Amino acid sequence: MAFTPRSDDLLLVVDLQYDFLPGGRLAVAGGDEIIIPINRLGRRFENVVMTQDWHPAGHISFASSHSGANPFEVIELPYGPQVLWPDHCVQGTPGAGFSADIELPHTQLVIRKGYHEVVDSYSGFQEADRKTRTGLEGYLRERGIRRLLIAGLATDFCVNWTAVDAVAAGFETYVIEDACRAIDTGGSLAKAWRDMNAAGVQRILAGDVA
Ligand code: VGL
Ligand code: ZN
């Protein structure tokens, strides 16, 4: 499928941060392989926004915040099931920083998320309570954006939730499949694609963007 970028398109780059890259605290296998393709894609888009996972120390999504719990266990929280993670993307730490290999100098906005201690936020649009908004939808609307292309980490968590919420917000939404990498815990990747397909998220490849 050939995709020709327009001025009402926006490339949304999700969580390309050191803690999600090889050597990081919640490393996603092959996460580093998508940086150069995303740099190349970025040059094709007038509009680029990045999300940044940005947790306070002691965040509720960290296994270390729950006595006796281990990373990748699932617990029940007031807003639903929560996968517990190794500590990651703690505000102001090097692991929360963007890879220095990213070359997207025309990025217009960075949306931080996950900064409330007792709620996680995979989605760039809203927190896991499904009520607290990040402001991204309002920004995109004010900018006249109609189509969103999403790339980054991780396919089965932040990319998935962001893409599903983007469709719900009325944007024509594409996930650039080969410009994402997954964590894949407990069948999460297969479930993510089921959820994205059911929501009407479209899948494209980086090579489709011409
Ligand atoms: C993410 C797990 C925890 C992601 C963020 O960026 O997909 N995954 N926090
Ligand atoms: Zn996180």
Side-chain angles (χ1 to χ4, degrees):
M1 180 222 164
F3 187 101
T4 307
R6 312 186 304 223
S7 61
D8 59 354
D9 292 336
L10 183 139
L11 178 68
L12 183 60
V13 178
V14 174
D15 298 4
L16 225 43
Q17 297 165 256
Y18 280 117
D19 272 341
F20 296 124
L21 295 171
R25 298 212 266 182
L26 177 43
V28 181
D32 52 336
E33 296 164 4
I34 65 176
I35 297 177
I36 286 169
I38 288 176
N39 288 342
R40 197 178 304 128
L41 279 163
R43 291 192 275 277
R44 308 280 303 123
F45 290 87
E46 186 179 320
N47 304 300
V48 178
V49 167
M50 298 203 260
T51 65
Q52 187 172 29
D53 211 40
W54 195 249
H55 300 306
H59 190 252
I60 197 159
S61 75
F62 297 170
S64 64
S65 304
H66 304 268
S67 63
N70 293 306
F72 305 101
E73 263 174 38
V74 181
I75 61 164
E76 214 39 60
L77 289 178
Y79 54 79
Q82 171 73 53
V83 182
L84 296 179
W85 304 108
D87 291 21
H88 65 278
C89 298
V90 174
Q91 296 170 1
T93 63
F98 289 118
S99 165
D101 296 328
I102 299 173
E103 291 174 10
L104 298 169
H106 58 307
T107 298
Q108 295 162 342
L109 175 76
V110 174
I111 281 278
R112 288 175 167 168
K113 60 185 179 61
Y115 47 74
H116 289 129
E117 192 169 347
V118 297
V119 190
D120 204 358
S121 188
Y122 297 140
S123 168
F125 288 92
Q126 63 182 352
E127 299 186 356
D129 62 4
R130 307 217 141 262
K131 287 198 287 278
T132 310
R133 308 291 296 180
T134 64
L136 179 58
E137 181 182 349
Y139 174 83
L140 297 173
R141 279 214 193 297
E142 283 200 35
R143 296 283 328 287
I145 300 301
R146 299 172 62 92
R147 300 195 298 184
L148 273 191
L149 283 88
I150 305 176
L153 303 171
T155 319
D156 40 347
F157 289 93
C158 292
V159 168
N160 169 26
W161 290 48
T162 299
V164 168
D165 285 346
V167 174
F171 299 99
E172 198 176 312
T173 305
Y174 300 80
V175 166
I176 309 172
E177 196 175 344
D178 56 343
C180 299
R181 290 292 184 276
I183 295 173
D184 203 11
T185 174
S188 56
L189 182 59
K191 181 178 188 314
W193 279 119
R194 280 199 301 276
D195 293 349
M196 288 191 278
N197 289 334
V201 173
Q202 301 182 65
R203 296 159 87 139
I204 59 170
L205 298 172
D208 294 334
V209 179

